[in-house]
């Protein structure tokens, strides 16, 4: 073994270490610039509070699929994005539950996933033949691409996780195809991708497998192809536990498919992509009737300027080796430039990170064959021209940011000049320039654009102290009548001691009708004019204290089992003069809210039973998230029971072992109509996740099938023992 090769092997850990350190430096810089950067929009309203609540349940020994006390946001099995069947997600949730500040937890968790994304890209590039330092350079750039950083990392974390596991699954599946991994390893990474809960991850699994199948056909690896197809089929079977509950529950909400729509929302075009290496470009893509305020189409400062220096003959020489890469890249390019929505998949810009993953790997592989320095002046001029054209396009998008564009151009031109000198004089330092430029450009971008103003900054209280104040001030269950947009952003921490939106109340340990939902529940949300994040309209106050005709005529607030009604003063200015019914009184009035409280507790405090119409309840066992058990009598007349539970698909009820219908009442609650003549009958109400009776056995079969395939392949790959001849 030569000394140089020995040194390379001894230091094989150095490039991955640099990837980890560089990404952590970038992630920390983003957090220090804006400590709420990672606790933004859906991350603040849904993901972090839900992760915290799920984590607490897991620590207590409960694996929750349904939380009726979180109302519209509590059907966690149907809200597929939380990935309850993904073991890595569950560990992450348990970690979040132990961290006192959710904004800090968001940074810790998301920095980890940024590192995981970079490492996945690094391994994938190495798998396709890229040199380690060039693989490291493109890998470090990937987590800081504009859309990945400002949208998926900052807010839509389920999509980031889907991209992370796509890179790892692609790497593992290709090694399975080439016989370097047992298929069970590929199945494990495919399982983590498919059960993450993002439909974009399921789509990417299919596209990656198509790309790898194409590679197998190019090399005529037919036996390996069948091995890949079987592994992919077993991975696909695991999708049922993640998505079937969503499909079977969506009929009660507003999450549905709408075919093909092309309204231009978040749809890039080729002109914008021509400036993808320009750090100051704020693309004029449609988003809430205006262009974006963040560099959402930015990829990497070097991506386009490096093109004139590539060895184009490498594309021909490595056509078969890179066939799958090109196919995946081509499919995603068509989707990025395609319609605004195809079935469940909306906003083509969300597919950019998959496009960059494929393209960055392609660039790393081609660069690994060396740059071409002939006619270097012409090549350098081409790189500079690319930078200038990108700046002109950026200026056309936002002409009011001239100074910013000029600074970005000067920095990029300087980096290109340094890149040219290095390529001509000391090519092995090219990765260092690429990495340094990535971090420098990131610093510029977070200086100019410290957060994503296109999406909602909830300013949701992140500290456990503020959430404890809320828990002390407001006794649940709570019906909140408030509008989040009426709270000035700089006062949300103070207001958060009385008003919380999204799923933050659940993370505070308080049951509230305010929660975040991606699914909705039509009757309930219409009755209280609820929005997806828990805001309501002024009319909700009158509705709350109005009778529900098909719930025994009791008040809605009683049918919901609420102890407190919190009314935002600015939403209902006349709230102090509101006439309360008997049994309720005003207990608090301050600059933010007026509180109405129930004077006497509900009759069945251990149950979610709220209304008995013609039914006598002898006893009730403590309710769980998914069940109720009562002893009831109806004497000589029929009657009904109403529970403070939304009537999600999956509820069943029995009386003395005989099943009875579960009815959705006019406001979306579970109602049971009981026959006459019952005497001390045993009534049972149970929730089973719809689809699990099919999906779970299929999952078990898929896992057993993957284990069996792994064993068969392992036995078949063992070298046979050759017996000595006599």
């Amino acid at each position: 073994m030569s000394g140089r090769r020995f040194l390379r092997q001894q230091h094989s850990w150095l490039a991955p270490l640099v990837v980890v350190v560089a990404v952590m430096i970038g992630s920390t810089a983003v957090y220090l610039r804006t400590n709420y950067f990672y606790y933004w929009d859906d991350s603040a309203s849904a993901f972090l509070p839900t992760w915290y609540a799920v984590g607490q349940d897991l620590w207590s020994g409960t694996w929750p699929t349904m939380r009726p006390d979180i109302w519209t946001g509590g059907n966690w099995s149907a809200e597929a994005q939380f990935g309850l069947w993904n073991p890595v997600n569950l560990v992450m949730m348990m970690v979040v539950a132990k961290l006192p500040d959710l904004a800090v937890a968001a940074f810790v968790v998301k920095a980890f996933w940024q590192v995981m994304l970079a490492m996945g890209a690094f391994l994938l590039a190495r798998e396709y033949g890229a040199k380690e330092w060039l693989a490291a350079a493109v890998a470090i750039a990937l987590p800081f691409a504009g859309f990945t950083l400002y949208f998926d990392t900052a807010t839509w974390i389920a999509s980031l996780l889907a991209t992370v596991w796509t890179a790892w699954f692609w790497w593992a599946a290709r090694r399975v195809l080439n016989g370097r991994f047992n298929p069970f390893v590929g199945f494990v990474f495919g399982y983590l991708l498919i059960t993450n809960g993002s439909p974009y991850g399921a789509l990417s699994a299919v596209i990656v497998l198509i790309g790898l199948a194409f590679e197998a056909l190019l090399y005529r690896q037919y036996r390996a192809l069948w091995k890949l197809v079987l592994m992919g089929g077993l991975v696909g079977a695991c999708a049922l536990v993640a998505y079937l509950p969503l499909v079977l529950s969506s009929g009660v909400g507003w999450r549905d498919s709408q075919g093909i729509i092309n309204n231009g929302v978040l749809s890039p075009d080729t002109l914008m992509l021509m400036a993808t290496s320009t750090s100051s470009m704020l693309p004029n893509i449609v988003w809430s009737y205006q262009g974006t305020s963040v560099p959402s189409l930015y990829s990497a400062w070097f991506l386009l300027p490096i093109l004139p220096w590539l060895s184009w003959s490498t594309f021909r020489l490595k056509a078969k080796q890179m066939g799958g890469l090109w196919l995946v890249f081509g499919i995603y390019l068509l989707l990025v430039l395609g319609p605004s929505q195809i079935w469940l998949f909306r906003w083509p810009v969300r597919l950019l990170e998959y496009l960059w993953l494929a393209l960055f790997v392609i660039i790393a592989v081609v660069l690994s064959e060396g740059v071409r320095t002939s006619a270097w002046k012409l090549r350098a001029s081409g790189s500079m021209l690319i930078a200038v054209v990108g700046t002109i396009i950026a200026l056309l998008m936002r002409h009011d940011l001239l100074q910013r564009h000029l600074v970005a151009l000067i920095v990029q031109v300087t980096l290109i000049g340094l890149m040219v000198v290095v390529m001509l004089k000391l090519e092995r330092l090219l990765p260092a320039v690429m990495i340094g430029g990535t971090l420098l450009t990131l610093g510029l971008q977070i200086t100019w654009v410290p957060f994503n103003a296109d999406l909602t900054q909830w300013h949701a209280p992140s500290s456990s102290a503020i959430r404890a104040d809320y828990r002390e001030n407001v006794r649940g269950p709570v019906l909140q009548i408030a509008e989040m947009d009426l709270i000035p952003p700089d006062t949300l921490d103070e207001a958060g001691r009385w008003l919380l939106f999204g799923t933050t109340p659940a993370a505070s340990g308080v049951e509230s009708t305010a929660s975040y939902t991606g699914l909705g529940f039509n009757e309930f949300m219409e009755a209280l004019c609820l929005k997806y994040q828990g805001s309501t309209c002024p009319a909700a106050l009158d509705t709350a204290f109005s009778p529900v005709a098909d719930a025994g005529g009791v008040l809605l607030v009683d049918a919901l089992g609420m102890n407190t009604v919190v009314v935002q003063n600015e939403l209902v200015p006349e709230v102090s003069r509101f006439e309360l019914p008997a049994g309720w009184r005003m207990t608090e009035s301050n600059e933010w809210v007026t509180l109405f409280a129930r004077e006497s507790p509900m009759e069945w405090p251990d149950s979610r039973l709220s209304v008995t119409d013609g039914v006598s309840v002898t006893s009730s066992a403590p309710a769980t998230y998914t069940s109720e058990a009562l002893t009831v009598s109806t004497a000589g007349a029929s009657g009904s029971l109403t529970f403070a539970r939304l009537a999600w698909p999956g509820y069943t009820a029995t009386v003395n072992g005989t099943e009875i219908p579960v009815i959705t009442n006019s406001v979306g609650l579970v109602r049971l109509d009981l026959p006459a003549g019952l005497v001390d009958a045993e009534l049972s109400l149970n929730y089973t996740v719809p689809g699990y009776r099919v999906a779970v056995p299929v999952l078990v079969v898929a896992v057993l099938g993957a284990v069996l395939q792994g064993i068969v392949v392992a036995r078949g790959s063992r070298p046979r023992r050759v017996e000595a001849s006599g």
Side-chain angles (χ1 to χ4, degrees):
M1 180 185 296
S2 68
R4 180 174 296 180
R5 183 180 177 187
F6 175 77
L7 288 175
R8 282 202 304 268
Q9 290 181 349
Q10 288 295 100
H11 294 87
S12 59
W13 51 267
L14 189 55
L17 178 62
V18 169
V19 171
V20 173
V21 172
V23 174
M24 284 302 304
I25 289 173
S27 301
T28 304
V30 172
Y31 174 73
L32 293 177
R33 178 68 176 92
T34 306
N35 64 348
Y36 269 66
F37 185 95
Y38 296 107
Y39 190 58
W40 205 270
D41 193 58
D42 286 5
S43 283
S45 63
F47 286 105
L48 267 300
T50 300
W51 289 350
Y52 185 90
V54 174
Q56 285 189 317
D57 280 346
L58 292 172
W59 281 112
S60 68
T62 301
W63 180 63
T65 56
M66 167 62 71
R67 283 286 300 269
D69 55 320
I70 303 181
W71 294 91
T72 55
N75 193 348
W76 287 342
S77 60
E79 300 268 5
Q81 60 188 341
F82 299 128
L84 294 181
W85 283 88
N86 189 301
V88 179
N89 280 22
L90 299 181
V91 171
M92 174 182 65
M93 293 168 182
M94 295 177 74
V95 171
V96 169
K98 292 298 182 181
L99 297 175
D101 190 290
L102 294 182
V104 174
F107 163 62
V108 171
V109 167
K110 293 182 179 184
F112 169 78
W113 288 115
Q114 286 178 297
V115 170
M116 286 289 288
L117 175 58
M119 284 304 303
F122 172 80
L123 292 172
L124 183 62
R126 293 285 288 151
E127 175 64 21
Y128 274 98
K131 292 182 178 178
E132 59 181 355
W133 286 107
L134 287 167
V138 299
I140 291 167
L142 189 61
F144 303 117
F147 188 85
T148 304
L149 178 64
Y150 281 95
F151 281 87
D152 279 357
T153 305
T155 67
W156 300 331
I157 182 66
S159 296
L160 173 67
L161 298 183
T163 312
V164 171
W165 291 126
T166 295
W168 286 83
F169 173 61
W170 193 348
W171 165 71
R174 192 171 193 270
R175 292 180 73 85
V176 169
L177 179 65
N178 294 328
R180 291 193 293 275
F181 268 175
N182 187 284
F184 185 73
V185 178
F187 172 83
V188 169
F189 283 104
Y191 176 86
L192 293 173
L193 171 60
I194 211 77
T195 58
N196 170 63
S198 169
Y200 294 93
L203 176 66
S204 73
V206 174
I207 293 175
V208 163
L209 288 172
I210 290 174
L212 293 176
F214 180 61
E215 287 185 26
L217 292 174
L218 288 176
Y219 282 99
R220 298 183 180 181
Q221 296 175 305
Y222 301 121
R223 292 185 63 183
L225 175 59
W226 281 113
K227 179 173 61 177
L228 184 75
V229 168
L230 176 57
M231 184 198 75
L234 294 171
V235 168
C238 300
L240 289 180
V241 293
Y243 299 104
L244 191 56
L246 167 61
V247 173
L248 297 179
S249 300
S250 60
V252 301
W254 36 258
R255 176 65 73 180
D256 57 2
S257 58
Q258 301 183 37
I260 298 178
I261 299 174
N262 198 14
N263 55 15
V265 175
L266 289 180
S267 299
D269 59 32
T270 52
L271 178 65
M272 298 174 191
L273 293 181
M274 289 173 62
T276 186
S277 289
T278 303
S279 60
S280 63
M281 185 186 72
L282 307 182
N284 190 24
I285 57 178
V286 178
W287 175 248
S288 299
Y289 308 104
Q290 60 184 6
T292 64
S293 64
V294 298
S296 53
L297 299 191
Y298 173 75
S299 56
W301 71 270
F302 57 79
L303 183 65
L304 297 183
I306 201 74
L307 295 181
W309 302 87
L310 298 181
S311 172
W312 294 97
S313 62
T314 301
F315 292 104
R316 175 176 53 83
L317 295 174
K318 293 196 171 188
K320 290 174 68 175
Q321 175 186 331
M322 300 171 63
L325 271 170
W326 280 112
L327 182 59
V328 172
F329 171 76
I331 292 173
Y332 273 113
L333 181 61
L334 291 175
L335 292 174
V336 166
L337 297 175
S340 306
Q341 179 167 333
I342 302 176
W343 190 42
L344 294 174
F345 304 98
R346 58 179 180 172
W347 306 340
V349 72
R350 301 183 77 165
L351 299 171
L352 265 181
E353 45 204 333
Y354 302 98
L355 183 72
W356 298 147
L357 174 62
L359 185 55
F360 281 20
V361 172
I362 290 172
I363 294 297
V365 172
V366 176
L367 276 178
S368 296
E369 296 300 308
V371 296
R372 292 296 177 262
T373 56
S374 58
W376 69 267
K377 293 182 180 179
L378 182 61
R379 296 178 192 272
S381 299
S383 295
M384 296 296 182
L385 180 62
I386 288 171
V388 171
V389 170
T391 302
I392 293 173
I393 294 173
L395 187 61
L396 292 174
M397 299 291 170
R398 289 291 301 272
H399 59 82
D400 57 319
L401 300 176
L402 176 61
Q403 183 177 359
R404 182 187 300 182
H405 296 319
L406 290 177
V407 171
L409 177 61
I410 291 171
V411 170
Q412 187 178 24
V413 165
T414 302
L415 288 171
I416 291 173
L418 181 59
M419 180 177 70
V420 170
V421 171
V422 165
M423 287 190 294
L424 294 175
K425 301 294 185 180
L426 206 60
E427 186 179 337
R428 68 175 181 271
L429 293 182
L430 176 59
V433 175
M434 295 166 69
I435 294 169
T438 294
L439 296 178
L440 176 62
T441 304
L442 173 65
L444 282 177
Q445 288 181 318
I446 62 176
T447 299
W448 294 328
V449 188
F451 50 80
N452 189 345
D454 292 345
L455 299 175
T456 305
Q457 162 54 316
W458 290 72
H459 293 278
S462 62
S463 73
S464 57
I466 295 178
R467 299 199 309 273
D469 285 346
Y470 176 80
R471 187 167 59 248
E472 183 177 337
N473 292 336
V474 180
R475 184 171 66 94
V478 174
L479 171 59
Q480 178 172 284
I481 300 172
E483 170 56 63
M484 187 180 69
D485 292 340
L486 294 178
I487 304 176
D490 58 346
T491 64
L492 276 171
D493 272 358
E494 183 180 351
R497 290 177 166 84
W498 300 96
L499 294 167
L500 290 180
F501 297 87
T503 311
T504 311
S508 305
V510 176
E511 176 176 346
S512 174
T513 54
S515 63
Y516 182 98
T517 177
L519 183 61
F521 198 104
N522 290 331
E523 289 90 347
F524 183 71
M525 299 184 79
E526 289 171 5
L528 291 169
C529 52
L530 274 168
K531 298 180 183 178
Y532 70 96
Q533 25 71 323
S535 292
T536 63
C537 64
L541 178 58
D542 288 326
T543 303
F545 288 98
S546 298
V548 181
D550 57 353
V554 304
L555 303 181
L556 175 58
V557 72
D558 295 323
L560 298 177
M562 297 292 114
N563 284 326
T564 306
V565 177
V566 178
V567 184
Q568 184 183 29
N569 294 334
E570 189 168 353
L571 180 66
V572 188
E574 305 299 319
V575 62
S576 61
R577 293 197 290 270
F578 183 78
E579 186 174 343
L580 287 170
W584 288 82
R585 61 186 177 89
M586 185 176 71
T587 58
E588 174 72 29
S589 183
N590 55 47
E591 63 175 312
W592 301 107
V593 299
T594 297
L595 267 61
F596 301 139
R598 181 186 301 279
E599 293 182 325
S600 301
M602 294 288 291
E603 187 174 353
W604 307 277
D606 294 331
S607 171
R608 298 193 69 84
L609 176 65
S610 58
V611 180
T612 59
D613 185 11
V615 179
S616 172
V617 178
T618 307
S619 65
S620 63
T624 69
Y625 291 156
T626 58
S627 67
E628 302 270 0
L630 309 172
T631 303
V632 300
S633 301
T634 54
S638 60
S640 68
L641 299 175
T642 301
F643 294 84
R645 295 174 177 266
L646 292 179
W648 295 105
Y651 274 108
T652 57
T654 61
V655 175
N656 289 333
T658 302
E659 187 168 345
I660 61 172
V662 176
I663 298 168
T664 303
N665 81 348
S666 60
V667 293
L669 302 180
V670 169
R671 193 186 88 206
L672 303 179
D673 290 344
L674 305 181
L678 295 179
V679 178
D680 291 337
E682 299 300 321
L683 182 144
S684 177
L685 175 69
N686 293 284
Y687 173 81
T688 303
V689 178
Y692 273 8
R693 291 177 180 173
V694 173
V696 173
V698 169
L699 175 65
V700 172
V701 171
V703 172
L704 293 177
V707 171
L708 180 61
Q709 183 189 20
I711 293 173
V712 170
V713 171
R715 290 176 63 87
S717 62
R718 288 178 183 174
R720 295 181 180 178
R721 182 178 178 180
V722 179
E723 300 291 343
S725 57

